[in-house]
């Protein structure tokens, strides 16, 4: 049979979309092509885990918290994330950009203070996992740098 | 009524508050550190927000994170619970500045009672007798000696900003004063960043009696009787009971009325506890806790009043739904604090709880956020469950507590259950001494 | 007071009795089948005796084995619990013949109320109105038709020895009589070995109201108000509440007094429940349960009276410690029966319980012998836990029940918890219809 | 039927992707080609603790019932066991005796009725596990025949 080659980047993008949208499954079909990704509901989100209260941890998705993707930039604080320097401005970075270490990727507002979030390392910005103006919590993946 | 309350705490008290909210039809927002992602109150809450890493200073004491979470979640009130920020006047003020209701007293009362020296001055003005001692913070050792000589030895040296027995030393005679002062100052400096000390008469065999009060924003104040917390280990409460076997009805009414008058004069609101040392028929004010207390359930058991529900109600500005005359005391209640600790060494014992079996049946209440498979984090205090038992009489209550302690089981970690079994078997305790 | 009580039962009620005994300082003897060697009450009892193989008839219904166990263990009393031998007059008599106290009514009262026909005759003599119907057991179909014509359709055909809905059929008109009689007879024969039938007026929308009574051996009788068990599935109680939302205070006092008078006239002793159908303001006696009932805890919650404790006390010959005037009703209580069954098909679901999490907090009581790692045997009834909730008002009680049902968790087997969540969300139930 | 050859490397790659992205399942189809990998959301096996509540140690004798020894004669009822036909009489059998099937080994009194207990099989009486006049429960080993 012919070589079955898969689009890794696409899978990662879909995985990121799950995180961003809080979905647990995405199924995609295009003509003969069909792709489906699913996550057991352990993703970080503002909604509490739906696991039954008394359910033993090992049997609960919340028990096996999904780590952020490799190269993910996670939020250092609770606040509102902005992708542009000023409302309606152009995003500071976009997927595909090459970013320098320390370069400001986005801004998180907390207690009316604007906190610039720098790139922890240089690389290519693979994906943006959040929307402009989206509330984020501590440890939430924001962007992925490769 | 509130639409959504953010619970700025963790553990069993966060669950206690969540339960009260659910029963009032209020949505809950749990905030938690990364160490508490699987905590019971986080699982049960309508929403949850991770506010920081495990250390308390970066999460449960992280004021900006908590207020941001409250703003983002759209909570219209914040319940601070017990400990952490519950008595932090600055936090209470900032919550209010953000247009969110702080479920508790005014910032002014928090700071007043947070300062042990000013608290005693206020208490005296409010008509509560205090333990004879230094008028305020001691200027120096010379003044300390003079005061001690006046009130007579033994004397107790305490940190002005202290609590929980930290920065506290006894001097039995003039000769011990210098060293005791030095030790206490050092401890106080280390724990509270201040070595301001005061000094008072040391009572040899006092009982720890505390009066539970509840006040609305319309000047109505009631008391729910006393709790007896005399059984302590290193100034830490282990077991509490209500009512106190040491008080008679006349003493109860007298101190209750005195406290209610004082709170009305102070203009206090929300729940609070006025703590006294009781010896030889005299009550000496020691401090006031301007928050809910760990042992509040025993007052609930003997009065059938849901204190957290009432605390939330009055925070909305609603008047108390009952008067003092409508509060009657039914039977006797005891609370055992179950800690994740070695029953002999008292060292904390965090880790995976492989099994948790709560006792049940008539008159038995368990307030706990434990579940089988839960991992007790090492970053926070070791309280894992409160076993609360009610009975028609103190004896019935003790017998019920004994059988409940036979049934409760916590597997995987060490706990002080064995200690409690020993305590309630001790003749002195059975006799209420 | 008794030194040692043998508990001739299993499951949560055996544990309930064990708890009452422990709290009274009485030693307990658990008897059990080989299937229950690991049962909670067996583990907690002071002594245990294996009395037979799993089938009830060889163990929990095995009178010689139980009495031998009582004799060998030196028990001075036997508590029969609920079901099994609890209403068996012969067992009660044999226990007494062996010089052991049967904790329950006299054998005479057990057999009187055990016969549905004689029970109704007795009730009428005692001044309790009964549902119009056949004077006694029906001689034949001709008599059945005649009675049915007299009292009017629809009519209910019941087995004289029946219970739990077995051998019970409705005939809506004369045409259905023959078949309904045949079916009911067959069922009755199969379940009770007797096809003696009686017939009564069928009430279209009655409420099931039962009055809890407690009587000592000195002629003192009190009632603890009513329980409303209208919510049933196939004549099996699913959820009970006290007090009934359908009764007013006047009706409550009236029926209570009537029942107390009847019990005094009967010379009844121990606990008992008089069951009525209530429709259009009228109470119709249907039967009396001469034992403790599964739903007894809700009466305990609203009266603060420990029914099992009192049942044991009066069995020792002690007089009641209180009068009717001293019994007041506090708030509202609801009990949910948690069964090991499929919530949709209602088929039993025995097996290994991998996890059990009991809800806690204020006003929540759980009576259950379940624990993580326990295997629910397939030989007995499917009741695994009783969730009992108390609140100041019916609404507070419902809100508390809702949050408790959110917290309770049973893993490894199916249960009807989901069914209860559906029930309490139903508008009709919320409105008390 | 044609040999179905599996691209192991691809499966390993997908498995790695599951770990990396925190997904629990990936399904991929391309025309006739279709591949699906799944890692059940935190299905860590949960060892149910058979812990007797209210008892100090999870390992309780009640938790692990010990079966009777091979060849044991167990009590068919609750009662009092007598080794002799009458009080003070000589025991019906003693260790070392050869017993016939059906031979009375001991007597169990229940409800004032004397019940002779016969040997279920022939053999040598290896040991007597109870004392004269001892109360016995259902299923309790009384003697051992080899």
């Amino acid at each position: 049979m012919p070589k079955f080659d898969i689009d890794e980047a696409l899978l990662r993008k879909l995985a990121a979309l799950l995180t961003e949208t809080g979905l647990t499954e995405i199924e995609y079909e295009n003509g003969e092509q069909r792709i489906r990704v699913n996550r057991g509901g352990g993703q970080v989100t503002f909604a509490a885990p739906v696991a039954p209260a008394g359910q033993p941890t090992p049997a609960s998705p919340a028990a096996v918290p999904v780590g952020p993707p490799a190269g993910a930039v996670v939020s250092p604080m609770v606040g509102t994330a902005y992708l542009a320097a000023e409302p309606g401005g152009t995003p500071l970075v976009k997927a595909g950009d090459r970013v320098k270490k320390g370069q400001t990727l986005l801004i998180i507002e907390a207690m009316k203070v604007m906190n610039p979030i720098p790139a922890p390392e240089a690389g290519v910005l693979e994906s943006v996992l959040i929307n402009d103006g989206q509330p984020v919590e501590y440890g939430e993946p924001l962007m992925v740098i490769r | 009524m509130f639409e959504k309350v953010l619970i700025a705490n963790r553990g069993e008290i966060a669950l206690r508050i969540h339960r009260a909210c659910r029963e009032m039809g209020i949505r809950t927002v749990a905030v938690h550190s990364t160490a508490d992602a699987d905590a019971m109150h986080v699982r049960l809450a309508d929403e949850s927000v991770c506010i920081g890493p495990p250390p308390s200073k970066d999460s449960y004491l992280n004021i900006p994170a908590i207020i941001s979470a409250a703003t983002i979640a759209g909570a219209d009130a914040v319940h601070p619970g017990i400990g952490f920020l519950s008595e932090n006047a600055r936090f209470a003020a900032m919550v209010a500045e953000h247009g969110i209701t702080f479920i508790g007293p005014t910032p002014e009362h928090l700071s007043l009672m947070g300062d042990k020296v000013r608290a005693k001055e206020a208490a005296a003005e409010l008509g509560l007798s205090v333990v004879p001692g230094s008028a305020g913070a001691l200027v120096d050792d010379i003044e300390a000696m003079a005061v001690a000589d006046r009130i007579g030895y033994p004397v107790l040296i305490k940190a002005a900003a202290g609590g929980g027995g930290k920065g506290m030393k006894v001097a039995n005679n003039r000769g011990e004063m210098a060293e005791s002062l030095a030790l206490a100052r050092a401890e106080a400096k280390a724990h509270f960043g201040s070595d301001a000390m005061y000094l008072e008469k040391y009572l040899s065999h006092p009982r720890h009696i505390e009066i539970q009060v509840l006040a609305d924003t319309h000047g109505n104040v009631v008391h729910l009787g006393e709790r007896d917390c005399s059984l302590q280990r290193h100034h830490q409460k282990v077991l509490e009971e209500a009512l106190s076997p040491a008080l008679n009805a006349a003493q109860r009414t007298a101190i209750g009325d005195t406290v209610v008058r004082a709170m009305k004069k102070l203009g206090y609101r929300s729940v609070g506890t006025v703590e006294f040392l009781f010896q030889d028929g005299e009550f000496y004010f020691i401090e006031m806790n301007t928050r809910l207390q760990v042992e509040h359930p025993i007052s609930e058991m003997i009065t059938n009043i849901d204190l957290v529900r009432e605390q939330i109600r009055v925070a909305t500005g609603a008047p108390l739904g009952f008067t003092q005359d409508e509060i009657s005391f039914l039977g006797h209640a005891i609370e055992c604090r179950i800690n994740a600790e070695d029953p002999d060494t008292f060292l904390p014992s965090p880790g995976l709880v492989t099994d948790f079996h709560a006792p049940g049946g008539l008159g038995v209440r368990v307030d706990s956020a434990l579940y089988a498979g839960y991992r007790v984090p090492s970053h926070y205090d070791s309280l894992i469950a409160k076993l609360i038992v009610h009975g028609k009489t103190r004896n019935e209550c003790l017998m019920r507590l004994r059988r409940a302690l036979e049934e409760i089981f916590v597997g995987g970690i060490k706990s002080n259950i064995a200690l409690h079994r020993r305590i309630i078997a001790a003749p002195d305790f059975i006799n209420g001494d």
Side-chain angles (χ1 to χ4, degrees), chain A, chain B:
Chain A
M1 56 194 267
K3 182 171 178 303
F4 193 163
D5 69 320
I6 65 162
D7 184 346
E8 280 189 51
L10 174 59
L11 286 175
R12 288 208 188 78
K13 178 62 181 174
L14 289 170
L17 272 166
L18 283 188
T19 307
E20 182 187 330
T21 58
L23 291 173
T24 57
E25 186 178 278
I26 294 174
E27 187 164 354
Y28 201 99
E29 195 161 359
N30 188 352
E32 283 196 331
Q33 291 201 312
R34 184 168 148 283
I35 186 162
R36 189 165 72 88
V37 294
N38 162 294
R39 182 175 293 152
Q43 77 281 5
V44 190
T45 154
F46 270 38
V50 291
Q55 185 163 353
T57 303
S60 143
V64 195
V66 173
V73 179
V74 300
S75 176
M77 67 188 72
V78 179
T80 307
Y82 295 106
L83 298 176
E86 68 286 338
T90 53
L92 293 157
V93 292
K94 60 182 190 311
D97 289 2
R98 175 161 294 284
V99 297
K100 292 192 300 296
K101 180 173 184 183
Q103 176 183 344
T104 297
L105 300 173
L106 74 163
I107 288 152
I108 294 181
E109 176 188 0
M111 307 281 295
K112 307 195 169 39
V113 177
M114 297 295 174
N115 307 279
I117 307 300
E121 60 195 299
V124 172
L125 187 70
E126 185 175 273
S127 56
V128 177
L129 308 177
I130 48 150
N131 299 321
D132 189 50
Q134 176 182 321
V136 294
E137 62 184 345
Y138 175 85
E140 181 166 350
L142 305 168
M143 297 178 173
V144 179
I145 297 175
R146 287 239 154 256
Chain B
M1 184 46 64
F2 301 125
E3 290 288 313
K4 191 190 280 189
V5 168
L6 181 139
I7 303 164
N9 216 295
R10 65 175 303 282
E12 67 81 23
I13 196 62
L15 179 58
R16 171 71 185 91
I17 296 160
H18 165 82
R19 284 167 169 166
C21 290
R22 290 295 291 155
E23 294 174 9
M24 299 173 81
I26 301 170
R27 292 176 58 77
T28 55
V29 181
V31 293
H32 62 90
S33 73
T34 51
D36 282 335
D38 289 337
M40 183 60 85
H41 78 283
V42 175
R43 294 176 160 211
L44 291 173
D46 294 294
E47 301 171 37
S48 71
V49 182
C50 181
I51 52 170
S56 300
K57 66 171 179 33
D58 302 322
S59 51
Y60 299 106
L61 293 174
N62 184 341
I63 294 178
I66 291 169
I67 291 182
S68 298
T71 313
I72 289 167
D76 44 19
V78 168
H79 196 307
I82 295 174
F84 292 128
L85 297 170
S86 59
E87 291 172 294
N88 185 310
R90 193 170 132 262
F91 177 64
M94 286 179 76
V95 168
E97 284 159 20
H98 283 73
I100 300 169
T101 304
F102 177 81
I103 299 176
T106 61
E108 296 66 33
H109 289 155
L110 289 172
S111 49
L112 172 65
M113 294 303 174
D115 180 327
K116 300 282 167 283
V117 174
R118 286 178 55 211
K120 281 181 77 174
E121 293 165 358
E125 289 162 17
L126 294 169
L128 304 173
S129 54
V130 299
V131 181
S134 55
L138 297 161
V139 179
D140 54 21
D141 287 19
I142 291 87
E143 187 197 358
M145 301 283 186
V147 176
D149 292 346
R150 176 166 53 75
I151 63 176
Y153 294 93
V155 294
L156 189 64
I157 299 159
K158 283 170 132 178
K166 303 286 190 303
M168 203 186 271
K169 291 273 171 283
V170 175
N172 294 299
N173 52 58
R174 208 171 208 290
E176 296 180 11
M177 282 293 283
E179 187 187 2
S180 300
L181 278 162
L183 286 169
R185 284 215 171 84
E187 249 186 66
K189 188 77 182 170
H191 285 93
F192 314 110
S194 151
D195 65 355
M197 309 301 292
Y198 69 106
L199 181 151
E200 63 184 27
K201 180 164 188 57
Y202 176 66
L203 298 169
S204 56
H205 57 286
R207 290 190 84 101
H208 181 114
I209 302 288
E210 56 188 33
I211 309 296
Q212 174 69 56
V213 295
L214 170 62
D216 64 21
T217 52
H218 306 272
N220 304 307
V221 182
V222 295
H223 73 85
L224 276 65
E226 80 278 8
R227 292 185 291 259
D228 190 322
C229 312
S230 304
L231 203 90
Q232 306 192 2
R233 188 182 60 79
H234 303 151
H235 300 281
Q236 300 289 348
K237 295 166 184 172
V238 175
L239 179 149
E240 305 95 358
E241 54 187 313
L243 298 165
S244 169
L247 260 57
N248 61 41
Q251 292 168 318
R252 178 163 301 119
T253 309
I255 189 63
D257 295 347
T258 307
V259 168
V260 166
R261 268 198 308 276
M263 290 302 109
K264 282 181 173 169
K265 190 171 171 190
L266 178 64
Y268 190 74
R269 73 172 195 213
S270 191
V271 298
T273 300
V274 184
E275 303 197 338
F276 296 92
L277 291 181
F278 176 71
Q279 185 172 310
D280 312 325
E282 291 298 316
F283 291 92
Y284 301 103
F285 171 90
I286 42 176
E287 65 175 13
M288 176 171 185
N289 287 156
T290 51
R291 53 164 171 83
L292 205 59
Q293 280 191 302
V294 173
E295 59 270 30
H296 77 275
I298 55 177
S299 297
E300 296 180 319
M301 300 304 273
I302 60 166
T303 59
N304 273 318
I305 292 171
D306 184 333
L307 267 170
V308 180
R309 185 189 186 92
E310 294 302 326
Q311 181 187 25
I312 294 170
R313 273 190 75 258
V314 296
T316 66
L320 282 181
F322 43 84
T323 65
Q324 189 68 57
D325 312 343
E326 296 170 86
I327 300 173
S328 51
F329 305 116
L330 310 155
H332 193 84
I334 298 178
E335 173 184 279
C336 292
R337 297 189 185 196
I338 310 297
N339 298 329
E341 64 183 22
D342 186 297
D344 305 313
T345 65
F346 300 110
L347 293 174
S349 171
L352 180 68
V353 176
T354 55
D355 192 55
F356 173 53
H357 186 83
L362 179 61
V364 175
R365 165 181 173 184
V366 176
D367 279 23
S368 174
L370 270 197
Y371 59 89
Y374 173 69
R375 186 171 291 281
V376 178
S378 56
H379 314 81
Y380 313 107
D381 81 67
S382 60
L383 180 70
I384 51 171
K386 302 189 303 197
L387 171 59
I388 303 122
V389 169
H390 181 260
K392 275 226 197 60
T393 63
R394 185 171 189 265
N395 181 59
E396 187 179 304
C397 187
L398 281 173
M399 294 293 277
R400 185 161 287 154
L401 177 56
R402 187 188 66 164
R403 74 92 178 153
L405 283 169
E406 288 169 352
E407 295 178 19
I408 191 170
F409 180 79
V410 177
I413 57 171
K414 289 177 178 172
S415 82
N416 62 346
I417 292 171
L419 171 71
H420 285 292
R421 291 186 181 132
R422 286 202 299 274
I423 289 171
I424 64 159
D428 279 2
F429 178 71
I430 292 168
N431 300 333
D433 301 341

